[in-house]
C-alpha cells in the first residue's frame, strides 16, 4: 500500500505540514525515494535471498534501522505506521510513548484480517489441491496476529481499521472510510483527457488491473466478459496484471469503466479512487456490500457499484 502512504505524505505537504514517507522494505510498485532509502531497501531485500546473505546483512540492517529511527525521533512528533510495520519488532513503541510522540496505526486489510478469512493466504498457505492443510499453522499465525494487534493497541493513540478486518481489536478504533483513501493529484490522470476519451470509439473499453488474479476473481470476470461478447456486446477488455501504477493510470485514461475485483470488502480501493477522480465508474464485488450501511453513514460510503459477486454480470450490463 505504498500508494496510500505516499499520497498521504503528498497531502500533508500540500497543507504545509512537514512530513516524510519512508518505505524501508523493498516494494516493486514504489521505486521513488532518496538514494539512502533505496540503499535500505536493497539491504532488506538481500536478507531474503538466503541464510548466508541474511547473516551478513543483519548487522547492516540493524544499523540502518537505528539511523532512520533516531533521525525520525529527532525530526517528527507524529508516527503513522502502516498495518503491522515496525522498526524493532514493536519494541520501539514504548519509547515513542515515553518521548511524548503520537502513534497512529493504519491497517489496510490482510495484515489485520484473521488468516482463515483471507482468501489470498488460504489459497497460498492452507490449501493443497482443494484439501485443507496446515490448520495448526493457521491457528498459530492467527493468534500471533491477534497478540500483535493487541500489543499495538496498548501504545497507539489511534488505530484506523475497516470493520470486517478489525475482528481482533479489543479497543475502540476509527473506522477506515471515515478517513478515506488518500488521493494525490500528482499520481493521477488528467480528468479532462479521461472524460474526453469516453465513447470516442464504437467499443466499450473495460479495465481490470488485479494485483493477484487468483484472489481477485479474474477468471470469473474473464468468463463474464466472454459471455457478454457472445451476446453481441462490443467490448475491449483491458487486463493488466502486477503492473506499476504509471501504466495503470495510462490505461485508466483510455477506458470507459473499471471492474476492480469480485471479493472486496471496500467499495473503492486505490484503483477505484483514482478512477473516480478521473470520472470513471467502478464495479466492485464483495459480500460486505449487504452490511456496510450497518457500520457507516451513507454519506461516507464512496460512489461505486458495490454488489455481491454473483451480481457483477448484471452491473456490467447496466454500465454498458
Amino acid at each position: 500500500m505504498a500508494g496510500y502512504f505516499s499520497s498521504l505524505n503528498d497531502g500533508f505537504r500540500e497543507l504545509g505540514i512537514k512530513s516524510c514517507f519512508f518505505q524501508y522494505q523493498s516494494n516493486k510498485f514504489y521505486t521513488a525515494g532518496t538514494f539512502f532509502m533505496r540503499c535500505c531497501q536493497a539491504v532488506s531485500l538481500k536478507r531474503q535471498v538466503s541464510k548466508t546473505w541474511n547473516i551478513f546483512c543483519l548487522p547492516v540492517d540493524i544499523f540502518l534501522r537505528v539511523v532512520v529511527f533516531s533521525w525520525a525521533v529527532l525530526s517528527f512528533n507524529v508516527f503513522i505506521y502502516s498495518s503491522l510495520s515496525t522498526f524493532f519488532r514493536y519494541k520501539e513503541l514504548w519509547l515513542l510513548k515515553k518521548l511524548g510522540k503520537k502513534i497512529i496505526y493504519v491497517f489496510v486489510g490482510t495484515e489485520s484480517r484473521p488468516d482463515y478469512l483471507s482468501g489470498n493466504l488460504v489459497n497460498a498457505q492452507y490449501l493443497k489441491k482443494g484439501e485443507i492443510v496446515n490448520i495448526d499453522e493457521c491457528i498459530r499465525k492467527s493468534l500471533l496476529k491477534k497478540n500483535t494487534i493487541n500489543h499495538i493497541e496498548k501504545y497507539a493513540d489511534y488505530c484506523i481499521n475497516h470493520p470486517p478486518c478489525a475482528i481482533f481489536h479489543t479497543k475502540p478504533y476509527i473506522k477506515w472510510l471515515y478517513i478515506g483513501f488518500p488521493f494525490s493529484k500528482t499520481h493521477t490522470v488528467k480528468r479532462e483527457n479521461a472524460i474526453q476519451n469516453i465513447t470516442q470509439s464504437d467499443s466499450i473499453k473495460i479495465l481490470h488491473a488485479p494485483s493477484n488474479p487468483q484472489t481477485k476473481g479474474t477468471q470469473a470476470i474473464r468468463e463474464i466478459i466472454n459471455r457478454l461478447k457472445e451476446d453481441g456486446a462490443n467490448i475491449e477488455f483491458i487486463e493488466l496484471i502486477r503492473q506499476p501504477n504509471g501504466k495503470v493510470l495510462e490505461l485508466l485514461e483510455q477506458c470507459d469503466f473499471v471492474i476492480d475485483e469480485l471479493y472486496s470488502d471496500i467499495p473503492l480501493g486505490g484503483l477505484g479512487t483514482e478512477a473516480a477522480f478521473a470520472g470513471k465508474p467502478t464495479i466492485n464485488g464483495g459480500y460486505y456490500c449487504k452490511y456496510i450501511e450497518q457500520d457507516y453513514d451513507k454519506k461516507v460510503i464512496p460512489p461505486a457499484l458495490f454488489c455481491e459477486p454473483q451480481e457483477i454480470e448484471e452491473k456490467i450490463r447496466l454500465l454498458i
Side-chain angles (χ1 to χ4, degrees), residues 112-297:
S112 65
R113 189 186 297 115
D115 280 22
Y116 48 83
L117 294 182
S118 179
N120 189 24
L121 288 177
V122 168
N123 281 321
Q125 300 180 24
Y126 307 124
L127 284 182
K128 187 175 182 180
K129 296 181 179 179
E131 296 294 325
I132 298 174
V133 295
N134 295 332
I135 190 67
D136 292 336
E137 182 69 3
C138 179
I139 294 170
R140 186 189 70 82
K141 286 187 176 180
S142 296
L143 288 173
L144 177 62
K145 188 176 291 185
K146 179 183 186 302
N147 291 337
T148 300
I149 291 172
N150 296 159
H151 178 75
I152 288 170
E153 288 181 315
K154 181 179 178 181
Y155 296 101
D157 293 277
Y158 302 102
C159 287
I160 301 170
N161 207 341
H162 192 41
C165 304
I167 292 172
F168 288 148
H169 284 277
T170 59
K171 295 182 179 180
Y173 60 91
I174 298 171
K175 294 179 180 179
W176 208 81
L177 290 181
Y178 283 101
I179 301 297
F181 201 102
F183 172 78
S184 175
K185 296 176 183 177
T186 61
H187 293 163
T188 191
V189 298
K190 292 183 179 180
R191 181 180 172 88
E192 297 78 14
N193 294 347
I195 295 296
Q196 192 175 15
N197 284 334
I198 294 179
T199 67
Q200 285 194 335
S201 67
D202 293 332
S203 63
I204 299 293
K205 294 182 180 179
I206 302 173
L207 176 63
H208 176 56
S211 55
N212 187 324
Q214 185 178 15
T215 58
K216 303 298 183 182
T218 297
Q219 183 56 40
I221 292 171
R222 289 172 185 156
E223 292 171 1
I224 291 171
I225 294 296
N226 288 334
R227 281 200 299 273
L228 292 172
K229 286 181 177 179
E230 289 172 1
D231 288 347
N234 188 3
I235 296 172
E236 182 180 341
F237 186 54
I238 307 168
E239 187 178 302
L240 280 180
I241 298 176
R242 300 186 187 93
Q243 293 294 313
N245 188 245
K247 184 64 177 177
V248 175
L249 293 179
E250 177 187 331
L251 291 172
L252 183 59
E253 185 172 311
Q254 302 171 21
C255 77
D256 292 304
F257 64 89
V258 171
I259 304 174
D260 198 348
E261 60 176 294
L262 242 62
Y263 309 108
S264 175
D265 46 26
I266 52 175
L268 289 182
L271 174 62
T273 300
E274 290 168 336
F277 275 93
K280 309 297 178 76
T282 294
I283 300 175
N284 224 355
Y287 297 107
Y288 183 59
C289 68
K290 295 177 63 177
Y291 309 100
I292 190 169
E293 291 185 13
Q294 297 177 19
D295 293 322
Y296 292 100
D297 296 334

Side-chain angles (χ1 to χ4, degrees), residues 88-101:
F88 308 108
R89 297 188 178 180
Y90 312 102
K91 293 181 176 64
E92 78 274 11
L93 296 183
W94 71 268
L95 177 59
L96 291 175
K97 200 72 173 176
K98 287 286 185 183
L99 294 173
K101 307 293 184 180

